[in-house]
Amino acid sequence: MALPPSTANWHWKNKNITRWGSEWFERELVTISVKGDNENEIVSVSKVTEVDGDVELGQRKSKLITIYDCKIVLNWTGTASDLTEVNGTLTIPEVSHEVTLDGLSDYTYTWSLSTAASPAVEALFKLAKSRLPVALEAKFAEFPVAIIDTHGKDLTVSGEPSRVGTPASGTVGAPAPASSSSPAPVQPKKVDAKKINTKVVTVEATFQAPADDLFTLLTDEKRIPLWTRAPAQVNFCRSVISPPVPDSELLEIVYTSGRIRLLSIRRRRQG
């Protein structure tokens, strides 16, 4: 039984794509070139000679995670202002997720120059050190995006149904002719009303306080905010009580956030 996408994408899965990663660097880095201020000055990556490390794509809790740490060695070449051809090598010890995406450290570059030194060659070497890393880092930033675009679909289980169906066994015949008779009307089903159990619950409370104090607390507009937490207005409505209770009144308290009615508050007769 297949797991639903939400469950299948929750657990850890990973795919090793080290070979693909090496081929990506070898193909993409040689497209980099930078120009100098002089017309003839240009520096480019001529060949990637080594990609050492691991490249993987993982998934955890429906999130794709790029995991890679590679050492890259490449050859660079250029043309100086006096048209001298200049060659050298460049080593980047760490191209990783932590450097590219997390920014935990900076890239480190180890340069070497194979051509004999001269003012024009030194100027081109300085150009390579200043501008080639910027172009390389821009290309390195494309690597994790390319990993997910190329291999993300291999780990993520889609919730969409497959559009490719398997035909049923047997010969597919011609569609059956439509019936000339009109279909019988469908009678709606009667839905019985659900019975709900109800019960009357009566709650009585006894206030452990003198009657005068309780009556004052419930009717004094200055004290009502102590238990309603809002200003209130008290109205006595004798005519509302039905049936009438001797020496009693219906107390209605109106406050800012609602209404409270206290029925049949019996007051002590005077005299």
Side-chain angles (χ1 to χ4, degrees):
M1 179 179 178
L3 295 174
S6 58
T7 303
N9 293 329
W10 187 260
H11 300 290
W12 174 260
K13 293 183 289 185
N14 71 302
K15 179 182 179 182
N16 188 296
I17 51 173
T18 300
R19 182 175 179 180
W20 175 91
S22 298
E23 294 173 351
W24 189 92
F25 285 121
E26 293 170 359
R27 181 181 65 253
E28 295 294 329
L29 297 187
V30 295
T31 63
I32 295 175
S33 63
V34 294
K35 293 183 178 181
D37 297 332
N38 295 327
E39 182 179 357
N40 297 324
E41 289 182 332
I42 185 170
V43 178
S44 60
V45 177
S46 58
K47 184 180 180 180
V48 177
T49 59
E50 180 185 350
V51 179
D52 183 21
D54 298 314
V55 182
E56 294 183 357
L57 178 62
Q59 178 177 264
R60 179 73 171 98
K61 297 182 179 180
S62 301
K63 181 179 180 181
L64 293 171
I65 305 170
T66 55
I67 308 167
Y68 60 96
D69 189 350
C70 300
K71 171 187 174 183
I72 298 177
V73 181
L74 55 86
N75 293 338
W76 61 272
T77 184
T79 303
S81 58
D82 62 355
L83 301 182
T84 301
E85 184 176 346
V86 183
N87 297 295
T89 61
L90 172 60
T91 301
I92 306 107
E94 181 182 1
V95 178
S96 66
H97 178 105
E98 289 74 16
V99 176
T100 303
L101 295 178
D102 297 338
L104 299 181
S105 61
D106 296 329
Y107 290 99
T108 302
Y109 299 94
T110 303
W111 298 84
S112 67
L113 179 64
S114 304
T115 306
S118 70
V121 170
E122 290 294 338
L124 187 72
F125 193 22
K126 184 178 179 180
L127 170 67
K129 289 182 176 180
S130 62
R131 299 189 182 182
L132 200 56
V134 177
L136 284 169
E137 291 173 17
K139 184 62 68 174
F140 292 153
E142 299 176 7
F143 184 56
V145 178
I147 291 176
I148 294 177
D149 290 345
T150 305
H151 302 281
K153 59 183 179 295
D154 297 334
L155 296 182
T156 302
V157 178
S158 174
E160 297 180 359
S162 174
R163 299 182 182 179
V164 180
T166 303
S169 59
T171 306
V172 179
S179 175
S180 59
S181 60
S182 59
V186 179
Q187 297 294 333
K189 294 182 179 180
K190 287 186 177 181
V191 180
D192 296 335
K194 293 183 178 180
K195 295 181 178 180
I196 302 175
N197 295 329
T198 60
K199 190 174 182 179
V200 177
V201 179
T202 302
V203 179
E204 295 183 357
T206 301
F207 293 94
Q208 300 296 328
D212 292 342
D213 293 345
L214 181 61
F215 184 83
T216 302
L217 179 64
L218 296 178
T219 58
D220 188 347
E221 293 183 357
K222 295 181 180 179
R223 296 191 179 185
I224 289 176
L226 297 175
W227 52 276
T228 62
R229 298 185 180 180
Q233 181 179 356
V234 179
N235 296 321
F236 289 97
C237 310
R238 291 179 179 275
S239 61
V240 179
I241 302 177
S242 179
V245 180
D247 300 322
S248 66
E249 296 172 319
L250 173 64
L251 175 64
E252 181 181 54
I253 302 173
V254 181
Y255 58 100
T256 56
S257 58
R259 183 183 297 259
I260 292 180
R261 287 190 176 184
L262 302 176
L263 298 179
S264 187
I265 294 183
R266 184 164 298 185
R267 303 182 67 179
R268 184 180 302 172
R269 292 186 177 181
Q270 301 291 335

